[in-house]
Every structure is written in C-alpha cells, then in structure tokens.
Amino acid sequence: MLQPLKEEELNEIYTWVDQIPLSRPKKNIARDFADGILMAEIMHYFLPKLVDMHNYSQASSVKQKKYNWDTLNTKVFKRIGFTLSKDQVDSVISCQSEAIERVLKFVQAKLEYYLENNTNSAEKQPQQTDSQTAPPPLLANEWQKDQQIFELRETIEVLEQKLHRMDELMKQKDAKILRYQQLLQQNGLL
C-alpha cells in the first residue's frame, strides 16, 4: 500500500498544473485527467513538437481512455525516457485516490529531468506567458524512488502472470498424467 502524499506534495502538484493553460477547467482532478487529454495538453505545452493533439479524443469509455494513455506512453513518454505501467494507467482511468497526483508528480520529475538534459534548446522552453513561472523542482531521489517502485510493481505483475501461467501448465500436466494412468489401468498395464 502506498503512503498518502503529503499536503505539501499535493499543493506543489496542483500549483504546477495550475500554471499550465488547459482546455477545460479542473473540477475533480481525478476525473478530469482520466481520459488522458489534459496530460496530453501538459506534454504539448512543454514539448509541442512531440505531441500531436489530434491523436487524443475526449472519452468516457474505458477503451478510449486506455487508447489515449497508450498513445501517450508510446508516442510521447517513451521518447523522453520513461513509460507508465499498466497499473498506473488503470489507477488513473478508474480515478483511484491520489493516482493522478502520483502520476503527475512522476511525469513532472521526468519532464524536468528531460528538459534539463535535452540539448535541443527549442524543445527546452515551455510556452510560457508573463504570468507563469517555471515549475518547482522535485528532488532527483524522489522521482528515482517513484520510478523504482513503479518498475518493481511492473516486475511483480509480470512475475505473477508467469506464476499463473505455470500453475495452468501444471494443472494441464497433472490432468494428462491422470489420463495416462487411467489408460494404463484400463489396459492392465498398471
């Protein structure tokens, strides 16, 4: 179980998001970000050349929401050095408590790291107006910890799937052995 985010962390995330001009006002941040559109807008704000907004459409169906997030993962996040896990995406889509805040914190840290280390100066600067300031920096070890947690969860998920598959194969093997034993008994060979 993840520790709840501190109020200070939440305020930093909300302040950062409030500095970015979004197409719709935030009413309930979990629901507002569930379809991935606002996340695409944030990425477009900082990296306009990497994000084609026409690839994303407002969605109420889980399938379309997943499509939007998968598109972000493959066309944007991956190109700047990270992806969100299936669990992270599913928790945001299903509006789980603090899921979007955790993802925003993680994305903000990754984005800041990318912008600081990217040599293409045209992509480095977000489109800011005079009333906007640069986002507050996150400590590098915080996002590294978050990244490790997400990677470990992903590894656990893969291992659980493998374990489930091995259990299925063992059941199939046991069923075959039982059938062969019955055949041997029926033919008097056992």
Side-chain angles (χ1 to χ4, degrees):
M1 198 77 178
L2 290 173
Q3 294 272 344
L5 291 171
K6 296 175 187 163
E7 189 170 335
E8 180 181 305
E9 292 174 299
L10 291 170
N11 287 336
E12 281 182 12
I13 293 162
Y14 299 145
T15 300
W16 180 67
V17 171
D18 287 342
Q19 294 173 352
I20 302 165
L22 300 173
S23 64
R24 47 185 199 231
K26 293 177 304 306
K27 296 177 184 173
N28 177 323
I29 195 162
R31 278 185 278 158
D32 295 336
F33 276 83
D35 67 2
I37 298 290
L38 295 184
M39 181 62 76
E41 289 181 10
I42 288 173
M43 298 308 292
H44 180 74
Y45 175 74
F46 287 98
L47 303 166
K49 293 180 183 174
L50 286 184
V51 183
D52 293 323
M53 288 307 297
H54 65 84
N55 287 331
Y56 308 93
S57 58
Q58 289 188 1
S60 56
S61 74
V62 171
K63 183 178 178 181
Q64 183 60 43
K65 290 177 184 180
K66 282 187 180 190
Y67 173 82
N68 286 343
W69 283 99
D70 288 345
T71 303
L72 275 166
N73 252 343
T74 56
K75 292 186 183 267
V76 182
F77 298 154
K78 191 173 186 178
R79 290 179 67 187
I80 64 171
F82 72 97
T83 57
L84 297 178
S85 70
K86 181 183 181 307
D87 284 344
Q88 287 173 293
V89 171
D90 289 346
S91 65
V92 170
I93 289 172
S94 62
C95 301
Q96 291 179 15
S97 178
E98 291 190 354
I100 189 57
E101 288 87 349
R102 289 181 187 285
V103 167
L104 283 165
K105 180 180 175 185
F106 176 71
V107 168
Q108 179 190 19
K110 291 293 192 176
L111 187 56
E112 286 178 1
Y113 180 81
Y114 176 81
L115 292 172
E116 287 171 10
N117 294 291
N118 183 14
T119 57
N120 182 355
S121 59
E123 279 292 356
K124 265 185 143 171
Q125 296 302 320
Q127 306 163 349
Q128 292 188 359
T129 62
D130 292 339
S131 64
Q132 296 166 327
T133 58
L138 286 178
L139 297 174
N141 63 356
E142 281 186 47
W143 67 259
Q144 286 174 340
K145 284 182 202 174
D146 285 347
Q147 177 65 19
Q148 287 175 333
I149 290 169
F150 296 130
E151 287 173 0
L152 289 171
R153 281 196 183 142
E154 217 167 58
T155 301
I156 290 169
E157 184 179 326
V158 168
L159 291 173
E160 286 175 343
Q161 290 172 353
K162 287 182 179 181
L163 181 61
H164 177 72
R165 178 69 181 138
M166 292 298 287
D167 285 343
E168 292 298 316
L169 290 172
M170 290 294 291
K171 288 177 186 175
Q172 291 174 4
K173 182 183 140 216
D174 289 345
K176 282 184 182 179
I177 290 172
L178 186 60
R179 264 187 287 151
Y180 287 133
Q181 285 176 340
Q182 290 171 346
L183 283 171
L184 289 171
Q185 284 176 349
Q186 288 173 359
N187 293 318
L189 298 173
L190 186 66

